[in-house]
Every structure is written in C-alpha cells, then in structure tokens.
Amino acid sequence: MSVSAGEAKVALVVGNSDGIGLAFTRRLLAEGWTVVGVSRRVAAIESDRYAHHVIDASSPTFREALTAVVPARVDLCVYCAGIGEAFDPSDLAMDATTVRVNFEAMVSCAAAVIPSMVRARDGHFVGLSSIGDGVSSDAPAYAASKAGVSSYLAGLALALRPKGVFVTNVRFGFVDTKMAKSPVKPWMISVDQACDVLARVLRTRPAVRSFPRKMAALVWLLDRWAALRLSLS
Ligand SMILES: NC(=O)c1ccc[n+]([C@@H]2O[C@H](COP(=O)([O-])OP(=O)(O)OC[C@H]3O[C@@H](n4cnc5c(N)ncnc54)[C@H](OP(=O)(O)O)[C@@H]3O)[C@@H](O)[C@H]2O)c1
C-alpha cells in the first residue's frame, strides 16, 4: 500500500515493528500524521494513513532500498532501529552488525531524507542514541554504535540548523521494551513516557535530549571514572 500525503504531515519511522518505534508510530497516527514505517517485520498497525515496508537495516543495500520507498516530502524522520546484545568475548561476530544497524544504517537513513529537507528548508531528523553512549565493557559495540550516533547527530544539528532543518539526538536510559535486558534497570521508564519525551522533542526540537537527566548525570560520572582508569592503565 502507498500513502497519499495530502495535507497531513508525513513521518518516516525506521524500526517500528516493536518497542518505542511502534508506540510512537501509533502516537503520530493518533495525532493525524501520515506515517511510513520500515522494519524487518510488519508492524501491527492498521490505518489508511500508514504504509509499511519490510527492509533490513543491516543489508548492504539498505540506503537504496530505503530511498526507493521514501515519500517525496518527509517532515519528520525518527530512526528507532536498534539491536543490543551482551558482549561475548568468544564470539564478536554480532558486533559489526550492531554497529551497522544502530549507526551506519542511521547515517544511510539521513542520506535518504535530509537532502530533500534541506531543499525544502524544513524538516526534523530524530535519532535514538542512548545515555550509554560512552565506554562499556558489557556491550562495547552497542556503546560504540551509540557514541557514533551521538557524535554524528551533534555535527548534523550544527550543520543543518542554518539550513532550516532540525536534528535531535534522544538519549534514553532504560525503557521498558525487550531491548532493556540488563538485570538492574534504574529509573526505567515506560514506553508511554518515552513517547511523551519524543512528543516534547517534536515541539521544542532541541539538539540533544537526555532522559532521565539524573541517570545521564550518573553515567557521565561513571564515564569519567572509566576514562581515568584507562589513562592510568
Ligand atoms: N529500551 C531501552 O532501554 C533503550 C534505551 C536507550 C536507547 N534505546 C534505543 O531506542 C531504540 C528503540 O529501542 P526499543 O527499546 O524500542 O527496541 P525494540 O523493542 O527491540 O525495537 C527495536 C526495533 O528496531 C527494529 N530493528 C532491529 N533490527 C533491525 C534491522 N536490521 N532492520 C530494520 N529494523 C530493525 C525492530 O524491528 P524488526 O525486528 O522487525 O526489524 C524493532 O522494531 C534503539 O535504537 C535502542 O538502542 C533503547
């Protein structure tokens, strides 16, 4: 099915068959947006303002496949696709896939939508990084992929703001989805609360939004401690 944009604002949500992406797609549709969704599985959404495309972000042809389905006008793009596995020192095979899905595919997604936003001098690109975008011995590839996301989006935000395009890096702590696998999940928020944060981000369009802030502060301190240990080792 294809969507006809009409007067409704058009959003592209990548990684929306589950978790935050699925819930936020439903929120956007309830608020009258037209939405195009992308993930490997079909999202359980029925709306005449919704179209889904099954595309694997880890595929080497992701950018071409995405470009082929991106509507002519995209007002908002939210990149939610993400994977994260605990580190297994005997098998690092998944690490490259984690970096590909979480970071490289987000860069490909930006390449597919941002040029038309720049031409229109309008648009908002939102990426989901993580408060855990520092150094992690539990999940080095996940942390590195999110460090890449945070750094890239910060640069894009600075470069694109004068061109009328807003870029936001959203850094969540723990959100109650299947992604939150850690046995200890301090200050975990619900998917609904995560959607509230994203909804505020759409209104205020900051360059970076970390939530909850107290967790961001704690992890910032732990990152400084890790940096000190590394410099002394
Ligand atoms: N939950 C947390 O605690 C938390 C905290 C901080 C940041 N985040 C970030 O928030 C984002 C969303 O996480 P979530 O908690 O909503 O996770 P989730 O419930 O596991 O959902 C992940 C989504 O990404 C899609 N996805 C995964 N691999 C994909 C691929 N190769 N190609 C296309 N789509 C793919 C999945 O769809 P398919 O499997 O159908 O492809 C799914 O819709 C992620 O980037 C995550 O790192 C989450």
Side-chain angles (χ1 to χ4, degrees):
M1 189 194 92
S2 65
V3 289
S4 121
E7 290 303 305
K9 291 228 171 206
V10 180
L12 171 69
V13 185
V14 179
N16 75 331
S17 63
D18 208 348
I20 302 165
L22 176 59
F24 198 59
T25 298
R26 289 187 169 133
R27 180 82 68 104
L28 289 170
L29 288 167
E31 289 177 4
W33 288 72
T34 292
V35 183
V36 175
V38 168
S39 51
R40 291 169 302 178
R41 291 167 296 152
V42 173
I45 293 171
E46 288 199 12
S47 164
D48 56 5
R49 281 180 287 106
Y50 182 71
H52 193 91
H53 299 279
V54 171
I55 305 176
D56 185 345
S58 71
S59 157
T61 58
F62 174 67
R63 187 173 60 80
E64 292 81 353
L66 187 66
T67 302
V69 302
V70 167
R73 194 189 91 226
V74 175
D75 301 288
L76 167 70
C77 177
V78 189
Y79 190 87
C80 302
I83 53 173
E85 299 298 331
F87 182 55
D88 177 357
S90 66
D91 182 3
L92 278 64
M94 270 307 289
D95 283 13
T97 310
T98 301
V99 172
R100 196 170 310 130
V101 172
N102 295 2
F103 177 48
E104 291 175 14
M106 189 211 62
V107 176
S108 295
C109 179
V113 298
I114 285 178
S116 66
M117 290 179 175
V118 169
R119 280 194 295 278
R121 293 193 70 80
D122 192 18
H124 191 180
F125 187 92
V126 179
L128 301 196
S129 181
S130 168
I131 284 174
D133 58 1
V135 174
S136 167
S137 54
D138 295 326
Y142 182 81
S145 70
K146 295 302 185 182
V149 169
S150 293
S151 172
Y152 185 65
L153 293 181
L156 280 189
L158 289 171
L160 296 179
R161 183 64 201 91
K163 301 188 182 306
V165 177
F166 290 84
V167 175
T168 303
N169 176 23
V170 176
R171 301 170 70 244
F172 284 126
F174 290 107
V175 183
D176 192 8
T177 70
K178 70 177 187 315
M179 165 84 65
K181 298 182 186 110
S182 161
V184 185
K185 298 164 205 160
W187 297 304
M188 184 158 76
I189 62 170
S190 67
V191 170
D192 233 36
Q193 285 173 294
C195 287
D196 290 343
V197 171
L198 290 174
R200 271 199 303 280
V201 155
L202 296 202
R203 287 193 299 275
T204 57
R205 301 193 284 193
V208 58
R209 180 78 174 97
S210 304
F211 192 90
R213 286 205 171 112
K214 55 193 165 192
M215 180 152 178
L218 175 66
V219 172
W220 184 86
L221 281 174
L222 292 172
D223 280 345
R224 302 287 83 70
W225 172 238
L228 181 66
R229 280 170 56 210
L230 283 170
S231 68
L232 296 175
S233 64

